[in-house]
Amino acid sequence: MNVQGRPTRPETSAVPSRETFTRNRGLNMEEALIFETGRLDATGVDIDDPEPFRSRLGPHARGSAIELPGLTEPETIRHYVRLSRNNYSIDAGIYPLGSCTMKHNPRLNEKIARLPGFADVHPLQPVSTAQGALEIIEALADALLTMTGMDAVAMSPKAGAHGELCGMMAIKAAIEARGEGATRRVVLVPDSAHGTNPATAALIGYSVRSVPAGADGNVSAEAVRAALAPDVAAIMLTNPNTCGLFERQIVGIAEAVHEAGAYFYCDGANFNAVVGKTRPGDLGVDAMHINLHKTFSTPHGGGGPGAGPVALSSRLAPYAPVPFVKREGAALRLVEHAEGGASFGRMCAFHGQMGMFVRALTFILSHGADGLKQASEDAVLSANYIRASLNDAMSAPFGERPCMHEALFDDRWLKDTGLTTLDFAKAMIDEGYHPMTVYFPLIVHGAMLIEPTESESKASLDLFIMTLRDLAIAAIAGERERFQSAPVDAPRRRLDETRAARQPVLRWTKPQPA
Ligand SMILES: *Cc1c(COP(=O)(O)O)cnc(C)c1O
């Protein structure tokens, strides 16, 4: 067990899964690796042998077969369809992974993103032929500025964590421009922060000073003042925070940070809870990334594409990265080089995730100002419905306090059951649900963080709540076997996630003939 109560080794259950001849169980198909099923002589295409030709590769020409697996077309399709059926997705059911905001991706977004003018645009085509694409970037940037009340926005970062890096590099550039690069070496990070925050600060050479969150789950201006010193460059604060709570003292924190000559980085990954209700620019934020893939519903997960534009205050705007779009008369220009300005440089080769920009702008325009505000309100309402409906069955670290977009429970209620948060989460898999986020935030023991999002119907929320109640009653009633052997019906049981992360096996090696 680690300090959050998470078992650090997998408990493999004593109950064997039912044996079948094929190792399939009903529609649960056992699928081998493509390297194991593929054959060198099989192919899905029928093309003539090439005419004799003289290779110009000389000594670099490969002498042996490349040994890519060959499959016929029907075999290929079955392979990938079977694999895809082992996946859980938001299109299959509620995906209550706290902090990740897995909401419905409207099909209108996909339809628009597939229009040939958007889908086929190339980052290297002449700017005069890509004015429509630049207009999308500009329109989305304008919308983000309106929603955040900030002064500039850097569009190129490709994920939330990349956005953090962008914002912190702008802060670093601003501090260096003030001649304080050598003295301001510390970034304050509350202990309730998302793990990417301290990682970002460390990546660009800052040391991290932790600020404790209070018993109410919030960071107080007093605690921030106590940690501030002339060596502090910035604070990185998540709002709404990782406990799903609005930081009540955020304005006081911003004032304290600015008085100390430091900058205020706000992790705005959870903007989906406040968009249309409050603007970070009004709260004193200097830089904040927005996860387009969370707030504005673009498909993500499994390393899928994200986009993390960073809104900047007037103090940081001059340091924004290139490239950016600039209107010159009727035309849009792509500024590719700092051109003597203070830009800290470039985050990535091109302009960011164009396909995600199109989807996010479609989401914004199809919702409108009233619809976006409603989405925030519904996301918060859904989370509070879950919190209030389960408060008597499970324990909540912050009691009756209303939450924002996600409801947080801890494991105190499991105390005398011999069961852990992990057991409870695994039992949800047998019920057909993807578990909530577990053991995060780190400051809550055995945390269970549930984010239903605005796109679940009341019927869906009710069934989810009833399922969790049923499981909670079973846990309290001492049905240990049901939990400790879970998941029974999944294609795999409990995996050693720690070992998978520490010793990943990424390469298939051909078994040697015996
Ligand atoms: C999701 C999230 C991030 C990281 O975003 P990625 O796009 O996954 O890099 C950072 N902070 C918070 C609070 C988040 O919820």
Side-chain angles (χ1 to χ4, degrees):
M1 295 275 176
N2 70 9
V3 289
Q4 280 85 36
R6 184 185 179 114
T8 48
R9 275 162 196 271
E11 308 98 272
T12 34
S13 153
V15 186
S17 37
R18 198 160 46 80
E19 289 292 327
T20 57
F21 181 73
T22 53
R23 291 171 66 215
N24 298 334
R25 278 180 294 145
L27 294 181
N28 259 342
M29 304 279 195
E30 191 59 41
E31 185 64 8
L33 294 178
I34 199 167
F35 289 96
E36 294 168 304
T37 49
R39 308 171 302 282
L40 282 182
D41 58 350
T43 172
V45 291
D46 184 7
I47 41 177
D48 295 336
D49 283 340
E51 297 288 326
F53 67 97
R54 203 160 60 84
S55 167
R56 288 186 291 169
L57 292 173
H60 305 295
R62 171 183 280 275
S64 58
I66 193 166
E67 299 203 39
L68 285 178
L71 265 69
T72 64
E73 182 176 307
E75 286 170 336
T76 311
I77 293 191
R78 277 193 193 149
H79 177 70
Y80 287 106
V81 167
R82 286 176 175 207
L83 289 185
S84 75
R85 290 172 26 152
N86 284 335
N87 245 347
Y88 193 86
S89 74
I90 186 65
D91 293 342
I94 181 172
Y95 206 142
L97 209 50
S99 201
C100 295
T101 315
M102 309 305 277
K103 65 169 87 168
H104 172 66
N105 304 293
R107 291 314 185 256
L108 180 63
N109 299 358
E110 300 304 318
K111 186 174 173 184
I112 303 294
R114 280 169 180 69
L115 291 176
F118 296 134
D120 299 339
V121 71
H122 192 281
L124 289 177
Q125 76 190 56
V127 168
S128 63
T129 67
Q131 290 286 305
L134 298 192
E135 211 165 314
I136 293 277
I137 298 178
E138 192 197 34
L140 178 58
D142 275 352
L144 296 178
L145 291 180
T146 304
M147 288 184 262
T148 55
M150 307 278 282
D151 292 276
V153 59
M155 297 297 289
S156 62
K158 296 192 180 209
H162 203 209
E164 289 173 35
L165 185 64
C166 173
M168 290 306 293
M169 284 174 76
I171 288 174
K172 196 172 187 192
I175 284 179
E176 280 167 4
R178 277 164 33 187
E180 295 182 321
T183 49
R184 293 194 182 264
R185 306 291 317 144
V186 173
V187 171
L188 303 184
V189 181
D191 57 9
S192 55
H194 197 266
T196 49
N197 294 182
T200 300
L203 187 70
I204 55 169
Y206 285 113
S207 51
V208 172
R209 188 175 298 155
S210 184
V211 182
D216 62 351
N218 278 158
V219 178
S220 71
E222 202 183 327
V224 171
R225 271 184 204 282
L228 279 166
D231 61 353
V232 172
I235 187 170
M236 295 184 82
L237 184 77
T238 304
N239 190 46
N241 69 22
T242 55
C243 298
L245 303 172
F246 194 87
E247 287 292 352
R248 286 170 169 156
Q249 299 196 22
I250 189 163
V251 173
I253 291 172
E255 278 165 13
V257 167
H258 290 152
E259 274 167 32
Y263 291 94
F264 182 4
Y265 188 92
C266 180
D267 181 335
N270 299 327
F271 196 43
N272 54 302
V274 293
V275 68
K277 307 292 287 186
T278 186
R279 302 189 310 166
D282 301 334
L283 304 174
V285 169
D286 290 305
M288 183 183 97
H289 74 267
I290 302 158
N291 289 31
L292 297 186
H293 46 293
K294 291 179 180 169
T295 302
F296 304 115
S297 87
T298 66
H300 65 285
V310 183
L312 300 167
S313 67
S314 58
R315 304 199 306 152
L316 292 180
Y319 305 98
V322 288
F324 54 84
V325 175
K326 200 170 169 186
R327 184 166 284 283
E328 284 179 354
L332 290 165
R333 187 161 77 89
L334 196 61
V335 180
E336 295 263 18
H337 301 284
E339 296 178 0
S343 167
F344 73 73
R346 185 177 271 275
M347 294 295 292
C348 53
F350 299 116
H351 330 293
Q353 302 281 26
M354 194 62 209
M356 296 303 122
F357 294 166
V358 175
R359 288 173 175 86
L361 186 61
T362 306
F363 186 88
I364 290 168
L365 294 179
S366 57
H367 278 67
D370 57 338
L372 289 171
K373 186 170 163 207
Q374 170 106 41
S376 297
E377 290 172 356
D378 288 352
V380 172
L381 182 62
S382 297
N384 277 290
Y385 184 53
I386 287 182
R387 183 190 57 76
S389 304
L390 292 172
N391 230 354
D392 59 331
M394 295 156 65
S395 50
F398 307 111
E400 297 286 326
R401 180 174 169 187
C403 58
M404 297 296 290
H405 58 298
E406 46 197 0
L408 180 59
F409 297 94
D410 58 25
D411 63 358
R412 279 173 301 157
W413 66 281
L414 285 171
K415 192 166 159 279
D416 298 320
T417 60
L419 298 174
T420 63
T421 289
L422 192 70
D423 296 323
F424 189 71
K426 295 295 182 192
M428 286 171 68
I429 297 176
D430 283 334
E431 297 290 341
Y433 283 118
H434 191 291
M436 68 296 258
T437 292
V438 292
Y439 300 102
F440 177 84
L442 302 180
I443 55 168
V444 169
H445 198 273
M448 307 180 200
L449 188 62
I450 303 174
E451 178 172 9
T453 81
E454 73 276 14
S455 59
E456 292 305 318
S457 66
K458 178 158 182 300
S460 163
L461 293 177
D462 282 336
L463 183 59
F464 180 76
I465 289 164
M466 286 188 288
T467 308
L468 262 58
R469 284 196 84 85
D470 181 72
L471 286 174
I473 290 166
I476 299 289
E479 292 181 31
R480 287 172 67 154
E481 183 53 34
R482 173 171 173 193
F483 291 88
Q484 288 175 337
S485 59
V488 177
D489 294 317
R492 289 292 179 276
R493 314 296 288 282
R494 296 197 185 187
L495 305 178
D496 189 340
E497 293 153 1
T498 312
R499 203 171 134 216
R502 300 265 156 86
Q503 299 166 19
V505 180
L506 303 175
R507 200 169 161 201
W508 180 76
T509 38
K510 197 173 178 172
Q512 295 304 316

